[in-house]
Amino acid sequence: MTPEEMKEAWQSARIKERDNYTDISLLLRRQTSLERLRRRYRRFVGIACAMLAFDILFLKMEIIPDNWRIPLVILLDFYFIVCGCMDFWLYTQTGKIDVFTMSVREIASIAIMCRKRHHQFMFALIPFAICILIVFAFILADDRSAQIGAIAGGLIGGGAGFVVYRRMMRDYKIIAGGHADLDDE
């Protein structure tokens, strides 16, 4: 093959590739399942930290009785600290996955372990969140509109959480690559 033929073959290959990907910005924005998981966990850590700052506002809210303000802030602080720590741990564990140096089996085992821990953390945090909603309902027993707001917020938050949960489990499934046989090890 002469240099001119090589140049023509190279040019035609580049044109074909460019035709397949007409919008290069789509390629640049595309993320892997691992990147999406890590981004979500990093976002959850940030939200937990923000909520630690936000829940201090309950100390000034007149709708909350005086004797419930400090215990409520402590309860919320404890919940968000636990959430943040759990999400940070999952963030660091998913960060240990190196697709360039690890075998598929190693990647799948870490992904499966993280998925199991995610479920264990949810098993602990969901009842805790329900208890917090019950405490809000009890505290706001005299204010019907605040109770409805707490219930609506709980339902909307639960629905949004379920959607994010399904997306995360899909990403874990993709990362694990169908290695369900590692579940028992």
Side-chain angles (χ1 to χ4, degrees):
M1 187 178 256
T2 67
E4 286 300 317
E5 291 173 333
M6 289 175 62
K7 185 177 179 181
E8 286 179 28
W10 178 252
Q11 291 292 342
S12 67
R14 283 184 28 200
I15 290 170
K16 287 179 184 174
E17 185 172 323
R18 189 174 53 217
D19 290 343
N20 289 339
Y21 303 108
T22 55
D23 190 2
I24 194 70
S25 65
L26 288 176
L27 285 175
L28 295 175
R29 286 189 306 233
R30 191 175 179 112
Q31 291 186 327
T32 65
S33 295
L34 182 60
E35 290 169 334
R36 282 193 302 268
L37 275 174
R38 288 187 47 81
R39 187 187 74 228
R40 285 185 185 118
Y41 284 129
R42 187 176 60 239
R43 185 181 310 143
F44 293 157
V45 170
I47 290 170
C49 291
M51 293 306 291
L52 284 170
F54 174 74
D55 69 3
I56 294 173
L57 296 176
F58 283 113
L59 293 173
K60 300 290 184 188
M61 293 181 80
E62 294 179 15
I63 195 170
I64 307 290
D66 289 337
N67 58 337
W68 277 99
R69 290 180 186 170
I70 292 176
L72 182 63
V73 169
I74 291 170
L75 180 68
L76 291 171
D77 281 345
F78 180 73
Y79 179 76
F80 290 122
I81 288 170
V82 171
C83 288
C85 290
M86 290 178 174
D87 289 332
F88 184 74
W89 187 85
L90 287 166
Y91 173 75
T92 58
Q93 292 302 308
T94 54
K96 292 179 180 178
I97 295 175
D98 185 0
V99 296
F100 298 109
T101 60
M102 299 173 94
S103 70
V104 173
R105 187 171 181 82
E106 289 174 305
I107 292 170
S109 66
I110 291 173
I112 290 168
M113 183 266 305
C114 287
R115 185 185 70 205
K116 284 181 181 179
R117 294 298 177 270
H118 183 101
H119 286 133
Q120 290 170 347
F121 294 159
M122 286 179 57
F123 186 73
L125 290 175
I126 289 174
F128 195 2
I130 291 170
C131 288
I132 290 173
L133 286 175
I134 291 170
V135 167
F136 267 111
F138 178 74
I139 290 172
L140 304 170
D142 297 337
D143 191 351
R144 193 72 170 153
S145 61
Q147 283 182 331
I148 292 170
I151 292 169
L155 291 174
I156 292 169
F162 184 73
V163 169
V164 172
Y165 165 77
R166 297 289 297 163
R167 290 179 183 160
M168 292 178 83
M169 291 305 112
R170 183 175 2 133
D171 287 338
Y172 273 124
K173 185 177 181 180
I174 291 169
I175 293 170
H179 283 50
D181 58 325
L182 294 177
D183 279 341
D184 298 329
E185 293 181 8

